[in-house]
Every structure is written in C-alpha cells, then in structure tokens.
C-alpha cells in the first residue's frame, strides 16, 4: 500500500511526507556494504555516509540556490556530498550531487508549507515520480576511471581526504 496519497494518484493533501526527508529505514550492515561495493564497481560512486542518512538529491546549482536562500532567511541548513566519484589512481574525488542533511527539510514550516515553493528543487517538483536518468551520464563520466581492489572503508577515507584537500569538506587538509 502506498505511503502517501499522491503515490495512489490522489491529489497532494499537503501531508508533508515528502518533506520529512530522512527515511527511517534500517539495512543490514553487510547488505549495505555489498550494495555500496556493487555501486562502486558499476559507477565508481562512493558513499561517505550510512545510507539511512541520505535524503533528497540536489544538483550543484540547487545546492547553491538553497544555501543562498537559507542565508538570506537566516535558516540553518547543512548540505553534504551524496554521490562522490572517486578516481583512486589519481586520488581525486568529485562530488556528483548533494543531500540535505536534516530529518525534516528546514524549509518546511507551519501547516506543512514549503517556504521556497517557487525555488524548490527538481526532485520536490517530481515527487512521487522519481526519475533516475543519471546512471548513463555517470557511466560516461567514469569510463576512463578504473575500479581498484581496495576495501570500501579505505576508498571512503581516501575520497573524504581528497574532498577535504579541495576544500569541499570543511576539515583541514593535513
Ligand atoms: S506530494 Fe508530498 S505533501 Fe503532497 S501528498 Fe505527496 S507526500 Fe504528501
Ligand atoms: S524544498 Fe519544499 S518541497 Fe522540497 S523537501 Fe523542502 S519543504 Fe519540501
């Protein structure tokens, strides 16, 4: 049974479900690692955080827009890297997209009102349709990046360090 009315084709009743953005799901750690390893093998995408931390995906432009609006309105928002493409041979990580690191979207207020409705991200406009057309783009992007045989936590640490050194993650590069 669908979780929200819109998933049954009914009009939006402003239940706010799609804005309470962190799913409270649990996954076996071994299963999660297996999935992450398979994703890396197919796409060179590394996930730096546990999967249950991730929320809606933002493009680079959407991240900049939401941060700008949040600053203008004195709204506290944390946006972190979601898909990170890591080239282990050249030790270079690139952020493909971002996620809003909150249980509930900081722009949801009052009676489940989106306070940035005109500026909301594409994923919010599409919901409950979630199109994932990025796979081909990512595979094209990584076609010359080889898969390396390293433990996943080593890949995560190297990718994280690369982002820190580029100033993408706010930790001093040693
Ligand atoms: S679009 Fe969001 S707020 Fe509207 S019914 Fe669906 S889950 Fe609820
Ligand atoms: S931007 Fe608006 S529609 Fe999107 S999750 Fe936040 S409150 Fe909901």
């Amino acid at each position: 049974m669908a979780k929200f009315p819109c998933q049954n084709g009914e009009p939006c009743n402003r239940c706010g479900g799609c804005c309470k953005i962190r799913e409270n799901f649990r996954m076996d750690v071994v299963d999660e690692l297996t999935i992450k390893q398979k994703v890396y093998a197919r796409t060179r995408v590394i996930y730096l955080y546990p999967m249950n931390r991730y929320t809606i995906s933002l493009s680079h432009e959407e991240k900049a827009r939401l941060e700008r609006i949040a600053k203008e309105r004195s709204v506290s928002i944390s946006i972190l890297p979601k898909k990170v493409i890591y080239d282990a041979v050249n030790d270079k990580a690139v952020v493909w997209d971002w996620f809003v690191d909150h249980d509930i979207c900081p722009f949801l207020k009052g009676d489940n009102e989106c306070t940035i409705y005109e500026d909301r991200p594409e994923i919010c406009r599409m919901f409950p349709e979630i199109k994932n057309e990025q796979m081909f783009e990512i595979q094209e992007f990584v076609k010359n990046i080889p898969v390396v045989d390293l433990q996943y936590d080593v890949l995560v640490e190297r990718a994280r360090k690369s982002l820190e050194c580029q100033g993408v993650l706010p930790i001093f590069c040693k």
Side-chain angles (χ1 to χ4, degrees):
M1 191 169 130
K3 200 168 164 188
F4 308 123
C6 56
Q7 292 171 314
N8 281 331
E10 296 168 25
C12 173
N13 70 352
R14 288 179 55 170
C15 71
C18 55
C19 310
K20 290 161 187 160
I21 47 184
R22 187 165 280 143
E23 291 286 339
N24 190 19
F25 80 94
R26 293 187 196 286
M27 189 184 289
D28 179 88
V29 284
V30 177
D31 292 345
E32 177 165 331
L33 179 59
T34 301
I35 289 169
K36 286 177 170 176
Q37 287 169 325
K38 284 183 179 167
V39 170
Y40 170 71
R42 286 180 65 198
T43 64
R44 269 39 111 228
V45 166
I46 295 289
Y47 288 98
L48 304 183
Y49 308 103
M51 295 307 274
N52 62 5
R53 185 160 169 182
Y54 291 107
T55 65
I56 56 173
S57 300
L58 304 177
S59 67
H60 299 290
E61 184 274 331
E62 288 170 337
K63 170 185 184 281
R65 185 167 78 225
L66 265 54
E67 286 178 335
R68 173 181 56 76
I69 296 171
K71 191 172 177 190
E72 287 167 0
R73 299 184 186 183
S74 301
V75 171
S76 175
I77 191 166
S78 171
I79 298 176
L80 294 174
K82 190 169 189 178
K83 296 186 201 71
V84 174
I85 294 175
Y86 182 56
D87 177 350
V89 173
N90 294 300
D91 193 23
K92 178 86 188 282
V94 173
V95 178
W96 184 267
D97 61 8
W98 305 84
F99 72 100
V100 178
D101 186 30
H102 295 261
D103 291 347
I104 298 173
C105 179
F107 295 113
L108 185 71
K109 293 284 179 284
D111 184 22
N112 289 334
E113 178 196 359
C114 174
T115 56
I116 56 163
Y117 192 76
E118 295 303 320
D119 289 311
R120 70 198 189 284
E122 189 188 7
I123 195 165
C124 305
R125 295 171 191 270
M126 291 191 313
F127 195 86
E129 299 286 322
I130 304 290
K131 293 186 196 134
N132 190 0
E133 293 163 348
Q134 297 180 1
M135 188 58 75
F136 295 118
E137 273 181 71
I138 294 176
Q139 285 178 327
E140 183 64 21
F141 185 85
V142 303
K143 65 184 178 192
N144 296 320
I145 302 178
V147 177
V148 295
D149 188 16
L150 288 172
Q151 287 190 340
Y152 197 80
D153 56 350
V154 173
L155 291 169
V156 167
E157 270 321 294
R158 289 192 180 184
R160 189 191 299 277
K161 181 65 95 181
S162 172
L163 294 179
E164 288 172 7
C165 290
Q166 295 173 62
V168 176
L169 287 176
I171 298 175
F172 181 69
C173 175
K174 297 182 187 127

